[in-house]
Amino acid sequence: MTESFHRSGEYENPYEGQQQAPVNPEWPPPPAHAPAHAPAHAPHPKKRGRGPLALIAAVAIVAAAIGGGTAYGIQELTGNDTVASSSTSTNVVPSSQKGTVAGVAKAVSPSIVEISATSNAGSSTGSGVIITSGGEIVTNNHVVSGASQIKATTSDGKSYTAKVVGTDSKKDLALIKLENASGLKAATLGDSAGIQVGDQVVAIGSPEGLSGTVTSGIISALDRDVTVPTEEGQDQGQQWGQGQGQGGQWPFEFGGRQFNGDTGSSTTTYKALQTDASLNPGNSGGALIDMNGNIIGINSAMYAPTSQASSSSDAGSVGLGFAIPINTVKADLAKLRAGATD
């Protein structure tokens, strides 16, 4: 959501047309040539009036304060660890392709990775979003939970070993870091508070291991209370992957009903964005993007209807997907960087 000030930029001189000199010594400006016989000890004013310079300085301070609220990670770290953040008006997509799915895909795909996680229970495939050029990646906790080995592959085919930096199972978020990575294209984190129902969105991830898959749709609803498991016993590392976990899909609960399997006894609930953009196993941890190319959510759950006669591999997207709002991610990032293991 763009915040801006509107001001005319004109200064009304209260002394115009009057003979007496104004109180403020800075207005009007001093003559171009100083008097030939200036007094040796000119008195200095004890107080400075609120002329145009004072007004401009005050405005600059206010604008800086607002800028600090909308440009999240810039003040945290510099260099390879700088997080690019913006309001929803920032256009990452070139103007010639503005508002097109192709433009969004071209601009953002280099910032999305495929994540392969291996644990004692098997292996899984998910997705992640590069948030710094040095290789910090945001994904879902259930993608990497319990993993003994993690690999990430970028859109150009380069593969990196990754380590978990911090996890937050209550928000289903995790931060991982690629080893020996530099010069990566970081995504721009948007402002999910500015999202409206009906806004067009694009999802990028690795469904069923098909890396770089792009789908599109709209925001179907806001603030959905989605309940998901937090315990590793629910095969969190496999539910969205191609592993051997039972059910094959990430289980979740909504409105008192459970979908895609049993969520278990240990759960957490968060407010999610609902989208009809097609999400499938492997999209988990990937990006939900606005048409300006800003990341507005981390894809986290989907509804996949199954029956006793069908296997989990037969289940697919029916246009009911959910994403963690990016503002939730930004609020949690400092905690994840500090090595949280909740």
Side-chain angles (χ1 to χ4, degrees), residues 50-75:
R50 295 185 60 83
L53 296 181
L55 177 61
I56 291 173
V59 169
I61 292 173
V62 173
I66 291 179
T70 58
Y72 169 72
I74 301 303
Q75 79 280 8

Side-chain angles (χ1 to χ4, degrees), residues 38-332:
H41 301 286
H44 296 281
K46 294 183 179 180
K47 295 184 179 180
R48 298 179 63 88
R50 295 185 60 83
L53 296 181
L55 177 61
I56 291 173
V59 169
I61 292 173
V62 173
I66 291 179
T70 58
Y72 169 72
I74 301 303
Q75 79 280 8
E76 282 216 29
L77 296 169
T78 58
N80 286 345
D81 292 323
T82 298
V83 178
S85 183
S86 72
S87 67
T88 54
S89 66
T90 300
N91 200 349
V92 180
V93 181
S95 57
S96 61
Q97 294 182 303
K98 183 178 179 180
T100 66
V101 174
V104 173
K106 184 177 180 179
V108 184
S109 288
S111 302
I112 311 302
V113 300
E114 177 182 317
I115 297 175
S116 299
T118 304
S119 68
N120 293 332
S123 61
S124 65
T125 300
S127 306
V129 178
I130 300 172
I131 62 169
T132 64
S133 61
E136 283 186 324
I137 293 175
V138 170
T139 186
N140 285 140
N141 176 64
H142 72 258
V143 171
V144 298
S145 178
S148 57
Q149 184 179 38
I150 301 172
K151 289 188 177 296
T153 304
T154 55
S155 62
D156 59 3
K158 293 182 179 179
S159 183
Y160 297 86
T161 299
K163 298 294 184 182
V164 174
V165 176
T167 61
D168 188 346
S169 61
K170 294 180 179 179
K171 294 183 176 67
D172 195 18
L173 291 172
L175 181 69
I176 65 175
K177 179 73 181 291
L178 305 185
E179 296 183 346
N180 302 317
S182 63
L184 302 180
K185 183 174 182 180
T188 300
L189 308 186
D191 181 8
S192 52
I195 300 303
Q196 300 181 52
V197 173
D199 283 351
Q200 288 185 295
V201 290
V202 173
I204 303 179
S206 300
E208 303 293 351
L210 301 174
S211 61
T213 296
V214 177
T215 57
S216 64
I218 63 169
I219 294 294
S220 304
L222 304 173
D223 298 327
R224 291 297 199 197
D225 288 321
V226 174
T227 301
V228 297
T230 60
E231 57 187 16
E232 293 183 18
Q234 287 303 114
D235 293 325
Q236 292 183 28
Q238 300 184 46
Q239 296 292 343
W240 263 77
Q242 296 175 304
Q244 303 165 4
Q246 296 179 355
Q249 315 294 323
W250 178 239
F252 71 96
E253 180 181 325
F254 177 76
R257 299 174 59 197
Q258 292 186 342
F259 302 95
N260 303 341
D262 185 4
T263 55
S265 59
S266 180
T267 62
T268 186
T269 301
Y270 58 82
K271 299 287 185 180
L273 302 173
Q274 182 181 329
T275 180
D276 69 348
S278 179
L279 301 180
N280 288 285
N283 272 115
S284 190
L288 190 66
I289 313 156
D290 68 17
M291 298 309 290
N292 288 326
N294 300 299
I295 310 299
I296 59 167
I298 300 298
N299 298 321
S300 58
M302 58 164 277
Y303 170 51
T306 58
S307 66
Q308 293 182 348
S310 65
S311 66
S312 61
S313 60
D314 294 328
S317 173
V318 293
L320 291 174
F322 303 92
I324 302 167
I326 201 63
N327 286 7
T328 299
V329 178
K330 290 192 288 187
D332 208 36

Side-chain angles (χ1 to χ4, degrees), residues 30-34:
H33 301 284

